[in-house]
Amino acid sequence: MRLDLNNKTILITGVAGFIGSNLAIRLIHSSDNIKLIGIDNMNDYYDIKLKESRLKELGDFKNFTFIKGSISDKLLIKKIFADFIPDIVVNLAAQAGVRYSITNPDVYIDSNLIGFFNILEACRHSYDDGKKGVEHLVYASSSSVYGSNKKIPYSTNDRVDNPVSLYAATKKSNELTAHAYSKLYGIPSTGLRFFTVYGPAGRPDMAYFGFTNKMVKGEKIQIFNYGNLYRDFTYIDDIVSGIIKVIQKTPEFTDDGVPYHVYNIGNNKPVSLMYFVETLENCLLEEGIISVRPEKELLPMQPGDVYQTYADVDELIKDFGFKPETSIEEGLRRFAKWYRGYYMQDSQIQGENNEIKST
Ligand SMILES: NC(=O)c1ccc[n+]([C@@H]2O[C@H](COP(=O)([O-])OP(=O)(O)OC[C@H]3O[C@@H](n4cnc5c(N)ncnc54)[C@H](O)[C@@H]3O)[C@@H](O)[C@H]2O)c1
């Protein structure tokens, strides 16, 4: 069923995050009649100032309400649903990152499992007493659920019962619990498996951002599996376009009568890590952010990492007439321009003092 976003109240969790903030800005600009509620616990997994600056962009909009808090706080989530009565819920809040889940497992259970469960429970009770309730729950899953899938491209019809990290296991669990809740309580739910999202104001914990920081400081960069890794890098604007298309259409019922679907959103064009790094270097050189190419240290594979990600997006095309289109050359150029504007004063560029401003 199609949903008109006009006059809807949309709850976005993880709204200060990379994807959440970009989604919120696009939605706010798309209509004066959308009411947006955002929640984020503003954790310090990466630079909070970046999250604050993303929120600042949203602060001026009268139709936007921000709530600082955790989705693992059941009472808070209950109160938000009671106070604002969201029509659409987009759950993006999660502890992301594969490597971090090896050293900090507890936070993945807290945010990704308990937090997501609280969202499902709140959706379930939104229909109490015959109320219209939540019309569509859209939530972030991840390409990491494919683990070391051998078959490419990765299809949502592939079996993904062998996660290779706790992060992946939590995302797969989200899909399973969403299915159970959609079946039991009729919550229309759509899961989106995002493939390595990058772009301006992106996540500093991700390789392209970390490489940039190191290159700026003149440090060598570490490339795992000797550069022999392939990723379906997906530009942020494409991800946001995909989410907005998806939230406007509730899923068809499965053969078992469940209003549930899971899609891949990825570029459908994996590139080697080496090519990605060279393209990044070119963009940073063009912007004058670096003046020499970095030294590279080639290292073996890291635990929990996967060799390749490659999204089959046929279903996305079939159901929404959409697939990501931005090339990595264009996407990285936009990242480099943003990086220069956000972190660097002209005097710092190409100068002796090539340090990152602590903004
Ligand atoms: N960026 C990617 O490449 C990528 C790939 C696959 C899946 N995803 C998923 O997409 C979603 C958004 O990712 P992102 O890249 O924007 O990450 P992000 O870390 O920038 O955004 C997540 C936001 O959620 C917030 N958050 C974390 N735990 C919370 C909690 N318990 N309560 C409230 N807020 C909480 C964080 O403070 C952060 O601002 C996540 O679910 C992530 O797992 C991202």
Side-chain angles (χ1 to χ4, degrees):
M1 190 180 75
R2 293 215 54 92
L3 295 178
D4 181 355
L5 296 187
N6 274 308
N7 300 313
K8 295 279 189 239
T9 298
I10 303 177
L11 170 66
I12 300 178
T13 74
V15 75
F18 176 35
I19 300 175
S21 58
N22 277 284
L23 173 65
I25 285 172
R26 184 92 73 85
L27 282 172
I28 277 177
H29 283 298
S30 71
S31 162
D32 287 338
N33 303 322
I34 292 175
K35 200 167 144 201
L36 218 58
I37 315 300
I39 176 171
D40 201 298
N41 68 356
M42 304 297 279
N43 68 59
D44 64 357
Y45 168 59
Y46 61 77
D47 188 5
I48 295 177
K49 291 197 174 100
L50 191 53
K51 296 182 182 180
E52 287 168 348
S53 80
R54 295 180 187 134
L55 275 185
K56 218 167 150 195
E57 277 195 63
L58 286 162
D60 294 338
F61 296 97
K62 64 175 186 346
N63 289 345
F64 175 68
T65 305
F66 176 66
I67 295 146
K68 185 174 173 190
S70 172
I71 58 166
S72 61
D73 179 344
K74 191 165 192 164
L75 287 179
L76 176 66
I77 295 304
K78 230 176 140 178
K79 183 166 169 21
I80 291 173
F81 274 68
D83 288 352
F84 297 100
I85 315 174
D87 303 298
I88 294 170
V89 177
V90 185
N91 188 65
L92 300 172
Q95 180 56 54
V98 167
R99 288 177 199 155
Y100 192 70
S101 67
I102 293 167
T103 47
N104 296 276
D106 299 55
V107 66
Y108 289 78
I109 303 304
D110 208 37
S111 295
N112 302 12
L113 297 185
I114 296 172
F116 187 64
F117 166 70
N118 290 339
I119 296 292
L120 287 174
E121 274 286 295
C123 289
R124 163 192 178 180
H125 289 294
S126 71
Y127 310 118
D128 288 356
D129 308 320
K131 289 200 283 284
K132 176 167 66 66
V134 170
E135 292 173 76
H136 198 182
L137 165 67
V138 175
Y139 60 94
S141 183
S142 165
S143 62
S144 52
V145 299
Y146 290 105
S148 36
N149 210 27
K150 297 286 177 293
K151 182 192 139 290
I152 50 163
Y154 294 173
S155 158
T156 47
N157 296 319
D158 297 344
R159 276 182 70 110
V160 286
D161 295 332
N162 301 299
V164 295
S165 69
L166 177 63
Y167 170 64
T170 63
K171 290 294 179 182
K172 175 63 187 169
S173 306
N174 288 170
E175 295 179 2
L176 294 172
T177 41
H179 185 274
Y181 268 60
S182 294
K183 166 82 181 165
L184 289 168
Y185 310 112
I187 306 167
S189 78
T190 307
L192 298 175
R193 294 178 181 168
F194 300 138
F195 281 65
T196 322
V197 190
Y198 74 100
R203 273 179 27 210
D205 62 310
M206 291 183 71
Y208 70 101
F209 209 128
F211 287 158
T212 305
N213 289 341
K214 284 196 162 51
M215 287 187 219
V216 167
K217 290 188 209 152
E219 292 173 7
K220 71 177 166 205
I221 59 173
Q222 295 185 320
I223 299 195
F224 294 104
N225 206 30
Y226 310 99
N228 191 23
L229 292 175
Y230 288 79
R231 290 287 178 273
D232 212 348
F233 294 101
T234 314
Y235 188 64
I236 181 67
D237 290 3
D238 291 331
I239 290 288
V240 169
S241 300
I243 299 173
I244 290 178
K245 283 193 183 296
V246 167
I247 58 180
Q248 293 178 83
K249 190 170 170 276
T250 57
E252 305 284 326
F253 285 82
T254 63
D255 293 345
D256 297 331
V258 188
Y260 170 92
H261 209 94
V262 173
Y263 293 93
N264 287 333
I265 303 193
N267 222 34
N268 185 236
K269 203 178 172 195
V271 296
S272 82
L273 186 58
M274 273 308 195
Y275 180 71
F276 188 81
V277 171
E278 274 163 29
T279 309
L280 175 64
E281 286 172 22
N282 294 341
C283 296
L284 298 176
L285 284 163
E286 262 170 43
E287 281 298 314
I289 293 170
I290 58 170
S291 48
V292 285
R293 289 185 189 274
E295 190 188 330
K296 299 183 185 77
E297 185 181 7
L298 301 178
L299 294 167
M301 190 87 155
Q302 288 273 288
D305 255 0
V306 299
Y307 165 68
Q308 161 152 264
T309 65
Y310 182 177
D312 177 335
V313 288
D314 285 355
E315 287 215 315
L316 199 64
I317 296 169
K318 178 168 73 66
D319 292 352
F320 300 98
F322 168 81
K323 87 189 243 320
E325 292 293 352
T326 311
S327 68
I328 60 157
E329 291 80 4
E330 179 56 28
L332 286 174
R333 195 172 302 125
R334 291 190 211 161
F335 167 73
K337 278 192 192 308
W338 167 81
Y339 190 96
R340 179 188 156 114
Y342 185 79
Y343 284 115
M344 307 182 91
Q345 288 157 2
D346 282 347
S347 60
Q348 289 177 295
I349 296 168
Q350 288 181 323
E352 322 79 60
N353 182 17
N354 239 1
E355 296 216 334
I356 300 175
K357 230 177 28 181
S358 59
T359 43

